[in-house]
Amino acid sequence: MDNSDVSTQCDTCDKVVSSKCYLNIHISSVHEKLRRHSCDTCDRVFARDFTLRQHISAIHEKIKPAKCKLCNKHLSSPQYLKMHIKAVHEKLRDFSCDGCPKSFTQETSLKIHIAAVHEKIKDFACDACEKRFSQQIHLKHHIKTVHEKIKDFACDACKKSFGRQDNLKRHIKTVHEKIKDFACDACKKSFGCQGDLKQHIKTVHEKIKDFACDACKKTFGQQGGLKIHIKTVHEKIKDFVCDTCDKQFGQAGALKIHLQSIHGH
């Protein structure tokens, strides 16, 4: 029988916390989705003032006193350092999804994954394009980068800009440093992140393409590929123009190949 104090156990999800105060915080933030503490710099919201102050210190003031001795990465607290070592260096992810092979270091991350990916719960809708998101922070990031065109992280090597710092780091690592740690066992093609490898295996080797065009029935492995196809093939929208010969392309990559092969630059 569970000996925990019933006053500290959540009736909705059975989570047990150390005090009534933390139970109230859990209910308001997780189940009622209340975030009362807002960051003035980036508008991110938090359930607790302590978490907000920790966010400001680590993200905006760049104060990260906990250093990993294995890779020299700096983190904002000893707790995050332990999580980093466990997930990155020890490769331990104790919370596995029953619906797919993905695993997580935190139970909270697993629950967010299940709700967003498998249960398709996306409560936050964009007013501009009606795209939906599972978390408010993802909606805000979408509005900022897609509709407001704000991308604060620029690559010094090629001037390409990104909405998130981790995407910039991945770009530098895979494009400029040519580091691709994830190799396909079937064809030996390598990728910069595990997600791209999984997508490659699914679409290329397993031939699974879940997104079909209503106009011509062509299928794609990713929704982004389907959208590009509709825009360029059926709607005839080609935003990338060659300055030398005025030929138009639907993707920046196609324009780049054209410039290199036809015009030699």
Side-chain angles (χ1 to χ4, degrees):
M1 183 176 177
D2 186 4
N3 294 322
S4 61
D5 183 351
V6 292
S7 66
T8 62
Q9 185 169 14
C10 176
D11 293 332
T12 304
C13 67
D14 296 329
K15 183 179 178 70
V16 177
V17 292
S18 58
S19 69
K20 184 73 174 177
C21 175
Y22 283 121
L23 175 61
N24 291 333
I25 292 171
H26 165 78
I27 293 170
S28 65
S29 62
V30 176
H31 301 298
E32 296 175 355
K33 300 190 184 299
L34 297 178
R35 302 283 195 274
R36 297 186 177 92
H37 304 279
S38 177
C39 175
D40 295 332
T41 305
C42 67
D43 293 330
R44 190 170 177 182
V45 288
F46 301 87
R48 298 165 60 193
D49 179 64
F50 169 77
T51 314
L52 168 61
R53 285 187 277 111
Q54 193 176 50
H55 160 80
I56 292 171
S57 175
I59 302 301
H60 302 298
E61 297 175 353
K62 308 296 182 185
I63 299 173
K64 297 181 180 182
K67 181 181 178 180
C68 176
K69 294 179 180 178
L70 297 171
C71 67
N72 295 325
K73 183 180 177 75
H74 289 266
L75 297 108
S76 58
S77 71
Q79 179 189 2
Y80 284 122
L81 174 59
K82 286 181 180 179
M83 289 168 54
H84 162 77
I85 293 171
K86 183 178 179 181
V88 176
H89 301 296
E90 297 176 353
K91 309 292 183 185
L92 296 176
R93 303 196 174 195
D94 299 327
F95 302 96
S96 298
C97 177
D98 294 331
C100 70
K102 198 162 187 183
S103 58
F104 301 86
T105 55
Q106 298 181 70
E107 187 179 18
T108 305
S109 300
L110 171 60
K111 287 181 177 179
I112 291 171
H113 164 78
I114 292 171
V117 176
H118 300 295
E119 297 176 353
K120 308 295 183 184
I121 298 172
K122 298 183 179 181
D123 295 327
F124 303 95
C126 175
D127 294 332
C129 66
E130 297 182 0
K131 186 171 183 178
R132 304 187 69 86
F133 300 86
S134 59
Q135 298 181 67
Q136 190 177 37
I137 184 64
H138 293 160
L139 170 60
K140 287 187 174 182
H141 178 262
H142 163 80
I143 292 170
K144 180 181 178 180
T145 58
V146 175
H147 300 297
E148 297 177 354
K149 308 293 184 185
I150 299 172
K151 297 183 179 182
D152 299 322
F153 303 94
C155 175
D156 293 332
C158 67
K159 306 307 177 186
K160 186 171 183 179
S161 57
F162 300 85
R164 291 171 52 179
Q165 190 174 33
D166 58 338
N167 289 337
L168 170 60
K169 287 181 178 179
R170 186 184 299 121
H171 163 80
I172 293 170
K173 180 181 177 181
T174 57
V175 175
H176 300 296
E177 297 176 353
K178 309 294 183 183
I179 300 172
K180 299 182 179 182
D181 298 322
F182 302 92
C184 175
D185 293 332
C187 67
K188 306 305 178 185
K189 186 172 182 178
S190 58
F191 299 87
C193 68
Q194 192 173 36
D196 291 340
L197 170 60
K198 287 182 177 180
Q199 183 65 38
H200 163 79
I201 293 170
K202 180 181 177 182
T203 56
V204 175
H205 300 297
E206 298 176 353
K207 308 295 183 184
I208 299 172
K209 298 183 179 181
D210 299 321
F211 303 94
C213 175
D214 293 331
C216 68
K217 306 306 177 186
K218 186 171 182 178
T219 55
F220 299 85
Q222 294 180 279
Q223 191 175 32
L226 171 59
K227 288 183 176 180
I228 291 172
H229 165 78
I230 292 171
K231 180 180 177 180
T232 57
V233 175
H234 299 296
E235 296 177 353
K236 307 295 183 184
I237 299 172
K238 298 184 178 182
D239 297 323
F240 302 93
V241 183
C242 175
D243 293 332
T244 305
C245 66
D246 293 331
K247 188 170 183 177
Q248 297 176 319
F249 299 87
Q251 298 181 66
L255 171 59
K256 186 177 180 180
I257 292 171
H258 166 79
L259 289 170
Q260 291 173 343
S261 60
I262 304 299
H263 302 296
H265 54 81

